[in-house]
Amino acid sequence: MSNPRSLSKRERILDVAEELFALRGYDGVTLRQIAKGAGVDVALASYHFGKKLDLFNAVFERRAQLLNSARRDALRACQLSAGSEGPSVEQIIEAFLRPLELAQETGDPGWQHYLALIAYINNSPFWGPRMMSKLFDGLVSEFIAALRKALPDARDEDIYWCYHNLSGALTLTLAQTGRIDKLSSGKCRSSDFEAAYNHMIPFVAAGFRQVCGKGTSP
Amino acid sequence: MSNPRSLSKRERILDVAEELFALRGYDGVTLRQIAKGAGVDVALASYHFGKKLDLFNAVFERRAQLLNSARRDALRACQLSAGSEGPSVEQIIEAFLRPLELAQETGDPGWQHYLALIAYINNSPFWGPRMMSKLFDGLVSEFIAALRKALPDARDEDIYWCYHNLSGALTLTLAQTGRIDKLSSGKCRSSDFEAAYNHMIPFVAAGFRQVCGKGTSP
DNA sequence: CGCAGTTTTCAACAAGCGTTGAAATTTAAA
DNA sequence: TTTAAATTTCAACGCTTGTTGAAAACTGCG
């Protein structure tokens, strides 16, 4: 049945595919590049995953539940620790973002590649609509609902646009992990995850309050 | 020399390449697809532009100067209309963003495709570093300098992180133009651009002020 | 060991890729 | 109209792609 070597090779194919897809996109990577990177014959990818598109989807599915659970748990935790009026905007945004920072900081480069791949998908007019909602719609709805409670004066439309801005800022951060910002001449390293999120959270929270009303105090 | 038909075919190749590259990325589009879309033989793209990568670059160069000039003019205009203490954060961000909105609203779908292509590039770990700085570094430096003056208490590092968030929010907006979102399903599409920027500008300005100090009053 | 089942490689396929040289067509000027 | 240059098509090249069927190697079990 399942021996250590087979699991290892199957997993290695997923790892390499994850990394290369994140860098060059679906069409920019060949199965032969993936196989070579994994030290494996080309046909093995087809044996384990079927068509190339199935391998692409398998890469996403591998970590999707794990990530969604972590973010859902973070939201639940901050809801429990908050009073009956619910968590503040800052707390909700923090619950939305910190699990990603933690994933990036595990030291497992696979998580960085995976999140960069998510960013790639989110900004792709072709892949975005067909994959993002399947992966994240349920989770996002929960966060939107929490935000709606924390910002009782806001119109739904406003909350949506603010979430859009949050998603964009986050996406660029995920896409640029490891990259050095030339403009800031090194002051701003995208691999400095903590700095990125410590700046993003107050930035986004202030934006929400400005556009959606003050809400409950932080 | 230059006759209307030849210009037309050359231009049509650029138009179709622009649209398809924006949708599927560099590797997701073949010269044959572009040629078919333009109603032209495959070899004609090579005749006019050389290699596939040269065509890719030609698509960028066609509108780059026009766009950069518009944004630079907008910055100069708001600097002139402001007093000696310079424009506010809102005015600077508005100068940074409005020319893009205007380009999207020209009704020329080419501009929408072009801006979506810029978004694709910006979020691509492969293409981003090698193209974005060449296209926009000079312009961005001018805006950063203006922001530094409007936010005298801010550290450079903070300004760069805030700009990063602005760039991300903008990029996602450019990438998703024309897309229909569930939460805004009832809205009319022509007002989408205006709504996007009208929400983005106060959102981003509030973020800057929160992270970089209050600055001069709006 | 021997054997069944799983995993991995090998070899090859048809299709599509970017690119190119030469031929055909169109254009602009004389 | 004649002529030379610019444009466009044609036909084909060498190569790479994703995929597959059959052979080989490895696995755990009796």
Side-chain angles (χ1 to χ4, degrees):
Chain A
M1 289 283 231
S2 64
N3 56 61
R5 292 254 327 253
S6 75
L7 275 184
S8 164
K9 287 200 177 182
R10 207 188 113 106
E11 207 82 353
R12 253 155 52 205
I13 291 174
L14 281 174
D15 288 340
V16 175
E18 189 172 56
E19 177 172 5
L20 294 183
F21 282 144
L23 184 63
R24 303 280 327 235
Y26 178 78
D27 298 294
V29 180
T30 72
L31 291 178
R32 284 175 164 84
Q33 291 176 291
I34 296 172
K36 174 176 265 188
V40 150
D41 189 86
V42 200
L44 194 58
S46 298
Y47 169 73
H48 279 301
F49 301 101
K51 314 277 185 192
K52 184 186 181 185
L53 188 57
D54 297 323
L55 169 59
F56 194 59
N57 287 318
V59 169
F60 281 94
E61 285 161 18
R62 180 167 59 152
R63 302 187 199 263
Q65 290 174 350
L66 211 50
L67 180 61
N68 278 349
S69 296
R71 297 174 92 180
R72 200 168 265 122
D73 290 348
L75 178 60
R76 299 276 150 78
C78 90
Q79 283 172 327
L80 281 178
S81 78
S84 62
E85 59 193 22
S88 69
V89 183
E90 278 81 3
Q91 290 172 310
I92 297 166
I93 292 168
E94 182 132 0
F96 190 68
L97 297 180
R98 288 288 183 203
L100 300 172
E101 182 194 347
L102 291 178
Q104 289 176 310
E105 286 173 343
T106 53
D108 176 7
W111 273 109
Q112 294 187 29
H113 301 144
Y114 181 73
L115 295 175
L117 184 53
I118 296 288
Y120 164 76
I121 288 301
N122 190 32
N123 261 77
S124 160
F126 181 76
W127 297 104
R130 102 189 39 194
M131 305 204 68
M132 285 305 287
S133 67
K134 188 183 66 177
L135 286 172
F136 296 121
D137 260 11
L139 182 81
V140 170
S141 295
E142 294 187 35
F143 277 90
I144 296 272
L147 286 166
R148 201 179 283 123
K149 194 174 175 189
L151 296 161
D153 299 337
R155 295 176 302 173
D156 263 20
E157 177 194 349
D158 295 334
I159 292 183
Y160 158 74
W161 281 115
C162 287
Y163 169 75
H164 174 89
N165 292 332
L166 159 59
S167 176
L170 171 61
T171 297
L172 189 63
T173 295
L174 296 180
Q176 295 187 350
T177 48
R179 200 154 130 184
I180 296 175
D181 187 355
K182 240 183 79 183
L183 269 173
S184 61
S185 58
K187 284 172 196 160
C188 215
R189 296 192 78 253
S190 295
S191 57
D192 190 351
F193 303 124
E194 197 185 352
Y197 289 96
N198 283 344
H199 282 84
M200 204 185 328
I201 289 168
F203 184 97
V204 168
F208 265 98
R209 291 191 191 285
Q210 174 70 35
V211 175
C212 298
K214 299 239 165 181
T216 57
S217 67
Chain B
M1 288 283 232
S2 64
N3 57 61
R5 295 244 337 243
S6 75
L7 274 184
S8 165
K9 288 199 176 182
R10 204 188 115 107
E11 207 84 352
R12 252 154 53 206
I13 291 174
L14 281 174
D15 287 341
V16 176
E18 190 172 56
E19 177 171 7
L20 295 183
F21 281 144
L23 184 63
R24 305 279 327 236
Y26 179 77
D27 298 295
V29 180
T30 71
L31 291 177
R32 285 175 162 86
Q33 290 175 291
I34 295 172
K36 175 176 264 186
V40 149
D41 187 87
V42 200
L44 195 57
S46 299
Y47 169 74
H48 280 301
F49 302 101
K51 314 277 184 191
K52 183 186 182 184
L53 187 57
D54 298 322
L55 169 59
F56 194 59
N57 287 319
V59 169
F60 282 94
E61 284 161 18
R62 180 167 59 152
R63 301 187 199 263
Q65 289 174 351
L66 211 50
L67 179 61
N68 277 349
S69 296
R71 298 175 90 180
R72 201 167 266 125
D73 290 349
L75 177 61
R76 298 277 150 80
C78 90
Q79 283 172 326
L80 281 178
S81 78
S84 61
E85 59 193 22
S88 69
V89 183
E90 278 80 3
Q91 290 173 309
I92 297 166
I93 292 168
E94 181 131 1
F96 191 68
L97 297 180
R98 287 289 182 204
L100 300 172
E101 181 194 349
L102 291 177
Q104 288 176 310
E105 285 173 343
T106 54
D108 176 6
W111 274 108
Q112 294 187 29
H113 301 145
Y114 181 73
L115 295 176
L117 184 54
I118 297 287
Y120 163 77
I121 288 301
N122 191 32
N123 261 75
S124 160
F126 180 76
W127 296 104
R130 82 189 60 188
M131 304 203 68
M132 285 305 286
S133 67
K134 187 183 65 176
L135 287 171
F136 296 122
D137 261 11
L139 182 81
V140 171
S141 295
E142 293 186 36
F143 277 91
I144 297 272
L147 286 166
R148 201 179 283 125
K149 194 174 175 189
L151 296 161
D153 299 336
R155 294 176 302 173
D156 263 21
E157 177 193 351
D158 294 334
I159 292 184
Y160 284 115
W161 280 115
C162 288
Y163 170 75
H164 174 88
N165 292 332
L166 160 59
S167 176
L170 171 61
T171 296
L172 189 62
T173 294
L174 297 180
Q176 295 188 348
T177 47
R179 257 200 240 177
I180 296 174
D181 194 287
K182 299 173 181 173
L183 293 173
S184 59
S185 56
K187 314 286 172 210
C188 85
R189 243 190 62 182
S190 60
S191 69
D192 270 356
F193 299 130
E194 199 187 352
Y197 290 96
N198 283 344
H199 282 83
M200 205 187 324
I201 289 167
F203 184 97
V204 168
F208 265 99
R209 291 188 192 286
Q210 175 70 34
V211 175
C212 299
K214 299 238 167 181
T216 58
S217 67

